[in-house]
Amino acid sequence: MMPTMKSALFNRQPDDKPFLISGPCSAETEEQVLDTCQRLAATGKVQALRAGIWKPRTKPGGFEGVGPKGLPWLKRASELTGLPTAVEVATAKHVEDCLAFGVDILWVGARTTGNPFSVQEIANALRGVDVPVLVKNPIHPELELWVGAVERLQKAGLAHVGLIHRGFSSYGNTDFRNAPMWHLPIEMKRRLPHMPLLCDPSHICGRRDTLFAVAQQALNLGFDGTMIESHQNPDAAWSDAKQQITPEALRALIKGLVWRHETTDQREFLTALASFREQINQLDAEIMQLLGRRMAVAEKIGQYKKENDITILQTARWNEVLERALRQGSSVGLTNEFVEQYLAAVHLESITRQNRVMEGL
């Protein structure tokens, strides 16, 4: 990888602009790759070019990528634009092929991240190789699988490992192709604060009209950049046509984003922020005290149920609590989703404590 690009991604400074990786979902033809990549370079907004060489599909029979013959096209695009390249790998053979054609950045896809055997195969193939590797979150919201994939690569001696948030499968979700579940990448950022974290709005959204909002939210949360799919003629793309945009549309999207900083040295801002944070600390302490008192009452209820041979779960009562909380939450500006998640956690803790009482623990 070009030294300046490695520095831009893994040694970021406070004033650095978002790191953008872009290119077609799939390499289809040499003309398509070269035209798309040259138009992306002309935007002046892209730091690395991507293209899907191998495309994993849920069912056989669909387009699964052109395979290794697409790697020379991407290499030529790099030579013409001066930009580094990025490719997804899922096997040791993929790694071997990419390294043979000088691919600068590799990434591990969501399906692969969820399979420790596959991640270990890739890690073994990369021992002794100095190439950056980005790890997408697994399809399902299992944080430890994501962490485990990172650790396997690090234990293989890879010094430059980063993260890509591409959303998670969610039953019944309609707003997104893959639900963002922002709390999970936020937790990864907390655990690995010095590791670059990119967002993949294309796979989160699944459609082009919501890309901007997701990309902006990622930047608001302190992500280091984005990976957005771009195609010379998106509607004619051989895969994921609805989520791709032209290079020119990408330029407009990136130009409209607001790049925020994690902190500042302005004294007035820092003083005000410290005051607000202290208020948050006090309120959090009060909430913890109230929750402790609530659980103490729940244990008393558990003892009373035990003495009268009553089951722990009371469905009608739970529905009553939930409905009242949703009304109260709405009146103070809380979303139904938050209230439901909060109460579900509180209810589970209450049931756990009552069960301990029932069991005499």
Side-chain angles (χ1 to χ4, degrees):
M1 186 179 184
M2 301 176 184
T4 55
M5 289 299 102
K6 184 178 289 185
S7 299
L9 183 55
F10 288 90
N11 298 296
R12 297 185 60 74
Q13 301 302 312
D15 292 329
D16 287 347
K17 294 295 183 182
F19 192 93
L20 174 61
I21 301 175
S22 187
C25 171
S26 300
E28 300 165 0
T29 66
E30 183 173 12
E31 184 276 333
Q32 170 247 4
V33 171
L34 296 183
D35 179 57
T36 302
C37 290
Q38 289 182 93
R39 286 163 60 183
L40 285 170
T43 68
K45 304 294 185 182
V46 177
Q47 283 76 49
L49 302 170
R50 60 147 287 160
I53 301 300
W54 302 275
K55 299 300 298 180
R57 286 289 177 254
T58 302
K59 295 181 178 179
F63 174 63
E64 297 186 330
V66 297
K69 77 174 185 179
L71 290 171
W73 308 341
L74 201 56
K75 183 176 182 179
R76 179 59 178 159
S78 178
E79 293 169 348
L80 291 172
T81 64
L83 294 173
T85 57
V87 171
E88 177 181 347
V89 294
T91 68
K93 184 62 167 60
H94 292 173
V95 171
E96 179 184 336
D97 289 340
C98 285
L99 295 179
F101 282 93
V103 174
D104 301 284
I105 308 169
L106 305 180
W107 84 80
V108 179
R111 289 180 173 86
T112 307
T113 301
N115 186 334
F117 293 106
S118 296
V119 175
Q120 190 61 57
E121 178 183 337
I122 292 170
N124 293 340
L126 286 168
R127 289 186 187 278
V129 178
D130 182 21
V131 61
V133 180
L134 305 177
V135 183
K136 285 194 172 185
N137 61 259
I139 291 178
H140 301 292
E142 298 181 42
L143 200 66
E144 298 309 319
L145 273 178
W146 202 0
V147 173
V150 169
E151 292 179 349
R152 287 178 186 277
L153 294 166
Q154 290 177 324
K155 288 184 177 181
L158 291 164
H160 299 99
V161 180
L163 305 167
I164 301 176
H165 169 228
R166 51 82 75 193
F168 303 84
S169 292
S170 176
Y171 177 76
N173 179 68
T174 57
D175 293 333
F176 301 97
R177 177 180 178 183
N178 294 287
M181 299 188 186
W182 295 105
H183 63 289
L184 294 176
I186 288 172
E187 174 60 14
M188 287 294 283
K189 190 173 179 64
R190 185 191 70 79
R191 295 192 191 187
L192 305 168
H194 302 299
M195 187 167 289
L197 173 61
L198 305 182
C199 180
D200 177 354
S202 300
H203 281 87
I204 289 175
C205 297
R207 63 182 205 260
R208 59 182 70 104
D209 63 306
T210 55
L211 292 174
F212 179 88
V214 170
Q216 184 62 68
Q217 184 161 355
L219 295 185
N220 291 347
L221 292 171
F223 281 54
D224 298 293
T226 58
M227 175 186 280
I228 299 178
E229 294 180 349
S230 180
H231 191 286
Q232 62 173 178
N233 183 9
D235 291 333
W238 296 1
S239 60
D240 290 343
K242 293 182 179 179
Q243 68 192 40
Q244 299 190 69
I245 57 177
T246 65
E248 293 72 30
L250 178 70
R251 179 180 182 178
L253 185 153
I254 298 300
K255 187 176 181 180
L257 293 173
V258 178
W259 179 231
R260 307 186 191 282
H261 304 286
E262 187 168 343
T263 188
T264 178
D265 57 3
Q266 296 180 14
R267 182 177 297 277
E268 183 178 353
F269 169 83
L270 294 174
T271 300
L273 185 62
S275 175
F276 289 136
R277 284 175 171 171
E278 182 55 32
Q279 292 178 47
I280 290 290
N281 291 341
Q282 291 297 325
L283 290 168
D284 283 345
E286 292 176 21
I287 290 171
M288 290 299 108
Q289 289 293 327
L290 288 171
L291 285 173
R293 289 166 56 187
R294 188 189 192 286
M295 293 307 162
V297 174
E299 290 178 353
K300 291 180 181 179
I301 291 174
Q303 182 63 41
Y304 195 61
K305 288 177 179 177
K306 179 180 180 181
E307 293 171 357
N308 290 273
D309 294 326
I310 302 297
T311 60
I312 293 174
L313 181 61
Q314 303 287 313
T315 306
R317 167 61 179 166
W318 169 236
N319 287 334
E320 176 189 333
V321 170
L322 182 58
E323 290 172 4
R324 183 175 63 253
L326 288 172
R327 291 194 301 270
Q328 293 173 336
S330 178
S331 69
V332 295
L334 300 178
T335 65
N336 287 349
E337 181 182 17
F338 169 77
V339 172
E340 289 172 355
Q341 291 178 346
Y342 159 74
L343 274 183
V346 171
H347 191 227
L348 178 60
E349 177 68 10
S350 179
I351 287 175
T352 299
R353 288 184 176 232
Q354 289 188 35
N355 191 59
R356 289 174 182 169
V357 171
M358 290 280 189
E359 298 297 326
L361 300 177

